[in-house]
């Protein structure tokens, strides 16, 4: 099943389910081991995985190889293990990234030269 989700409604539901799963998991972990050390380690773990996600799906694409398109962590791992500096683009190639990072508002910014 290698299809992209395109339904905004299904994407939002998926996000809500991930949030619920994370909250339930964290609550159960803290219920099993209600210690401040566990809470701190849980917070550090969540923060680290969020930073890894940002690295894997934003930093690598925008700064390391804007031409490479991957659909998940397995594609990313294959790409990194292969040692290729440029991968064959899948589908339409993304334009080369230049300048500062785009705004997080969803609108693209023009880079002045």
């Amino acid at each position: 099943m290698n299809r992209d989700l395109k339904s905004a409604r299904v994407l939002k539901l998926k996000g809500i389910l991930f949030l619920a799963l994370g909250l339930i998991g964290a609550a159960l972990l803290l219920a099993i081991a209600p210690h401040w050390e566990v809470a701190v380690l849980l917070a550090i773990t969540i923060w680290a995985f969020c930073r890894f996600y940002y690295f894997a799906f934003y930093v690598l694409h925008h700064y390391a190889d804007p031409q490479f398109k991957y659909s998940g962590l397995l594609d990313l791992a294959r790409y990194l293990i292969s040692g290729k500096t440029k991968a064959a683009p899948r589908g339409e190639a993304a334009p080369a990234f230049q300048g500062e990072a785009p705004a997080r508002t969803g609108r693209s910014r023009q880079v002045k030269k």
Side-chain angles (χ1 to χ4, degrees), residues 28-48:
L28 289 173
L29 179 62
L30 291 172
I32 292 169
H35 306 288
W36 69 268
E37 296 95 339
V38 173
V40 169
L41 289 173
L42 179 61
I44 291 170
T45 301
I46 292 169
W47 176 82

Side-chain angles (χ1 to χ4, degrees), residues 38-103:
V38 173
V40 169
L41 289 173
L42 179 61
I44 291 170
T45 301
I46 292 169
W47 176 82
F49 275 110
C50 289
R51 296 304 297 171
F52 173 73
Y53 182 88
Y54 173 76
F55 169 79
F57 293 103
Y58 185 83
V59 172
L60 285 180
H61 174 71
H62 284 89
Y63 296 104
D65 191 353
Q67 300 298 315
F68 182 60
K69 301 282 187 186
Y70 50 93
S71 61
L73 291 176
L74 289 178
D75 282 346
L76 175 63
R78 285 186 204 114
Y79 170 71
L80 293 174
I81 291 170
S82 73
K84 294 179 183 177
T85 56
K86 295 283 183 188
R90 205 175 61 182
E92 215 174 285
F97 181 79
Q98 295 176 346
E100 55 188 67

